[in-house]
Amino acid sequence: MKFSAFSLLRLSPIQWLRKIRGFRLVYTPLLAIVLFTAVMGVILGTLQLQEKGQQESALFRELSFAKQRIQLRFANNTDTLMTINREIAAATDQGKLKQITYEQADELVMNNHEIIRIILLGAANDRLWTVPPSNTKTDWMNQGENAPLINDGLKTTIELSRVTGRAAFSQFITLNIASDEPLAKERKNIFWQVVPNIVGGEVIGYIAALYTTQGILDVIPAELKSLYRFTLLTDNEKLLAISSDRNTPKRAFSNQTSLDIGVLSPNLILRIDTYPPPTNLTFRMLIGVVLGLCVFVIWSLWSVLKQMQVRQEAEANLQTETSFRNAMEDSTPVGIRAHDMQKRITYVNRAFCEMTGWNSRELIGLSPPFPFWPDSRRDELVEKMNRALQSDGVKTGIEGAILHKDGTLIQTRTFIAPLINEKGKQTGWVTSLIDISEPKKIREELAAAQERFTTVLEGLDAAVSVVDLETDRLLFANRFYREKFGDDSKGHFQLVGNEGNNRTLRDVAEDLNDSAPGIPSPFLYQESESEEVELSDGSNRWYEVRTRFIPWVDGHLAQLLIATEITQRKAAEDLARQQEERMQFTSRLTTMGEMASSLAHELNQPLSAISNYCMGVAKRLEGHLEPSVGKEILPALAKASEQAHRAGTIIQRIRGFVKRSEPQRKASAIDEIINDAVGLVEIDAHRHRLSIQSEIADNLPEVDLDPVLILQVLVNLLKNGLDSMREAYPLSSRWSAQPVKISADLDTSTFPAMLRIQVTDSGAGIAESAIEHIFEPFFSTKSDGMGMGLNICRSIVESHHGRLWAKNIMDSAQTKLVGCTFTILLPLESSVSVENT
């Protein structure tokens, strides 16, 4: 154990004195140096405090002087302004008066940098003259966004002066001036002073002076500003003006005082900061020399003391190290022996003697082959030892055997290292022997068990894999897994659903490590529920996957996965499900057809009766009513009969359509069909405070279609649009809702051109998850809907060889649905007419 200079620092004072009690000659110079250092420290500290006090006193005197200069300047300015007011009040010649007062004001502005403008105001706040005179280039007060701030400050100050009858000041005004302007710094912060002109108790006018806060600092003499930095601040520490942009050091002194520039003035603080004085190089060098000498002498005494201590502790440390080494070598179960350059044994420890059954006196001096080597393996062990000594040992060790004196054979692993003395020269070798008989037996048993276990896993028709949760490395995979997924862990993560995001399993491991030390036992070996997983590689293979977390042989947490292929079973299940869905769909369509036939049969008779009754009533009333009454009743009865006949026709067409009969086509004008649809739905729209707007292009050709079925499609789409508007807008705000629009034009983007009909609403749109299914049978977004309306509409349009689809409308920010558009494309000529031509 070597002596360290820091070892004495860890001792208590009493222990430290005991250590050096044999060196009394050290006490006297050490005590003298300590006293000298203490006295010098007291003297230097006293000088420092005295210098600091003098600087603070000088700082206070200069601050008071600057304060008096500023306050005196404001008092003189106020007196001058009041003098100008008195001359104005006493003078009789207004022309001469204006010239005299103007010259006085101009002289005041020229001699006082803090004043940048003086304005003479009349009793009605009208401006009589301005110093300096304003022009388009210099009148910066009335230009830009700063003009309202300056004028509002002047008006507020005039009002305060009028109410109090005394000179008043405005609050500080901060202007927005570009930094590249010549006078930006001087005009950044300004304020007004207004002095009223009172004659006989009445205010006959005002004189206003505009001050800059930066100009106030010009009152302070330049020699003071070169030594100190002066700053004007408000109560809330807002910076108004500063004499220098140079920063003050951290050790600078500061002082501040409040400025009283008038009775009705805002609070203003004047602050002073010192710059560092010139460095006293001689004084600092003297201090450095004294401290350096003290440190050098203390270090010299410390070095002498350390050398004297080394000699006393060397023997004790050597004895301690020897005892420790002997105790460690005797207590270790590893056998240790040393050889010289001739391979003779020079040292053995107690563990080696117990391992061989020979004592140290019998072993020391022996040369190979040694008597504790088995006779049958002596040549082999001699060759291994020579090869190891020539290659400076083997890091993995050499397996060998030792024959105990009683005949017991011990399996060993030997490690060899060169023995180097203090001069760096090799004097022999040191060998360490470890008894590996029991571990080798256990390892052989484990290898046999591992072979049996691997044989079973390799024969399974299921994929078995183990992945390290920390490194995502594949630790084990059986034959089935390797054939299906290869030799990496990608297949494992595909099966557990973490492909492309392997951080999931690693997060599980981190959560377990953060929750508590070790791995919670309830978490281990807990098998998850089996999941059916389809691979995402496009192979359409399905697997039934079961996982659990297990501790791996190295102590790390791992995931075990067992996956059984169920592709054929899933195919059979999908086929059965599709057949079941087809049967249900066929059953529903059959029921719908029967319902349509039954409704058509049951409703045709009452509708025919209604039409006949209306026509009969109309004939009986002809000639028996007044002409004015007949003009109102007879057309209404005719329309009722016509609508009953139309209802019957619609029912017959829907019945025929359900039975898959062809539409009854004829050349029809689409504008008439749209107007009829709007007329049928408009009454319901008005009842809900909504409206419908139609936009039909001019000169649209007639189209070969079934007008009754197309009319039914448009009525259905318009009603759906109105329902969406009713859900999006409450009753009280529907007056601001946009109308449901229906438009018709030609779509020339296709060839040949087609008729395009669009129905657009400004409701809440259709959810993205539902817009792909709204045309499927029995799918509805309404709580009371059957889900057949849009399906029948698309079937009608497709029976006309057209197309029908829906598209949501997004707002300008693409964040919210603001409506939906249903588009119908119909061919201008039917396929039958095209074939005939």
Side-chain angles (χ1 to χ4, degrees), residues 684-691 722-737:
D684 188 54
H686 291 165
R687 183 165 57 89
H688 294 288
R689 300 183 183 180
L690 296 172
S691 61
L722 292 175
D723 292 341
S724 179
M725 298 282 288
R726 287 168 53 194
E727 294 177 0
Y729 292 91
L731 186 62
S732 60
S733 63
R734 289 179 187 170
W735 59 271
S736 62

Side-chain angles (χ1 to χ4, degrees), residues 317-616:
N317 291 339
L318 182 59
Q319 185 178 1
T320 302
E321 289 182 2
T322 302
S323 300
F324 175 77
R325 183 175 62 85
N326 293 333
M328 183 179 62
E329 292 176 355
D330 292 338
S331 62
T332 181
V334 178
I336 300 175
R337 72 173 185 262
H339 301 264
D340 58 12
M341 297 302 294
Q342 287 73 34
K343 304 177 185 178
R344 292 190 299 266
I345 297 177
T346 58
Y347 169 80
V348 291
N349 69 340
R350 181 183 301 174
F352 187 81
C353 295
E354 294 176 354
M355 190 179 297
T356 59
W358 302 65
N359 56 40
S360 59
R361 293 189 302 273
E362 295 173 335
L363 294 173
I364 292 177
L366 295 178
S367 299
F370 301 114
F372 48 80
W373 282 354
D375 295 337
S376 59
R377 301 184 59 183
R378 284 189 178 185
D379 296 338
E380 175 190 353
L381 295 177
V382 169
E383 183 181 356
K384 286 184 177 181
M385 182 177 180
N386 293 333
R387 188 167 59 252
L389 294 179
Q390 292 175 1
S391 61
D392 294 333
V394 181
K395 294 182 178 180
T396 58
I398 303 172
E399 287 194 9
I402 288 180
L403 186 62
H404 195 271
K405 201 171 185 179
D406 60 2
T408 304
L409 186 64
I410 301 173
Q411 299 293 332
T412 61
R413 182 176 294 275
T414 304
F415 298 89
I416 301 176
L419 183 61
I420 309 299
N421 62 6
E422 68 277 2
K423 296 181 181 180
K425 183 179 180 181
Q426 181 177 355
T427 60
W429 292 271
V430 176
T431 61
S432 303
L433 286 82
I434 302 175
D435 186 358
I436 61 171
S437 301
E438 191 65 24
K440 188 173 182 180
K441 180 181 178 182
I442 295 174
R443 186 165 58 250
E444 292 174 353
E445 293 178 355
L446 288 176
Q450 175 71 16
E451 184 178 357
R452 292 192 298 270
F453 177 73
T454 305
T455 302
V456 174
L457 290 180
E458 291 292 333
L460 291 178
D461 289 334
V464 180
S465 60
V466 180
V467 170
D468 191 340
L469 293 187
E470 294 184 2
T471 62
D472 299 337
R473 183 169 55 91
L474 184 65
L475 302 176
F476 174 80
N478 68 341
R479 175 191 55 80
F480 189 90
Y481 179 92
R482 294 192 301 272
E483 291 177 355
K484 298 295 184 178
F485 303 101
D487 297 330
D488 52 25
S489 60
K490 292 183 179 179
H492 183 100
F493 291 116
Q494 287 181 349
L495 293 172
V496 298
N498 294 327
E499 183 181 7
N501 187 15
N502 298 353
R503 287 289 304 168
T504 303
L505 296 180
R506 196 175 301 172
D507 292 340
V508 174
E510 292 178 358
D511 294 341
L512 290 175
N513 294 332
D514 295 340
S515 62
I519 303 174
S521 56
F523 186 79
L524 297 176
Y525 305 109
Q526 182 177 358
E527 184 175 348
S528 64
E529 296 183 0
S530 60
E531 297 181 1
E532 295 180 354
V533 178
E534 182 182 10
L535 296 184
S536 59
D537 56 0
S539 60
N540 296 326
R541 288 186 295 170
W542 284 83
Y543 288 87
E544 183 179 4
V545 180
R546 296 186 299 276
T547 61
R548 67 174 59 179
F549 294 98
I550 60 173
W552 195 239
V553 292
D554 57 358
H556 290 90
L557 187 64
Q559 186 184 47
L560 169 65
L561 179 142
I562 302 175
T564 305
E565 187 171 3
I566 56 171
T567 305
Q568 295 181 355
R569 190 182 75 185
K570 290 294 295 184
E573 292 177 355
D574 290 342
L575 181 60
R577 183 172 60 255
Q578 293 174 5
Q579 292 178 351
E580 179 68 21
E581 291 177 355
R582 291 193 189 97
M583 292 178 61
Q584 293 180 1
F585 180 70
T586 304
S587 177
R588 291 184 180 182
L589 289 181
T590 303
T591 304
M592 288 293 298
E594 294 176 355
M595 290 176 59
S597 300
S598 177
L599 287 175
H601 177 73
E602 296 294 334
L603 293 179
N604 271 333
Q605 294 181 358
L607 289 174
S608 299
I610 292 173
S611 177
N612 294 332
Y613 281 131
C614 289
M615 295 301 297

Side-chain angles (χ1 to χ4, degrees), residues 39 47 104 113 119 127 168 170 230 269 367 384 461 509 629 632 647 653 724 737 760 783 807 832:
V39 172
L47 291 176
Q104 291 178 349
H113 293 168
I119 301 174
R127 299 189 180 186
S170 70
F230 293 89
I269 297 175
S367 299
K384 286 184 177 181
D461 289 334
V629 178
E632 297 178 357
R653 296 291 175 84
S724 179
T760 304
S783 59
K807 183 179 180 181
V832 177

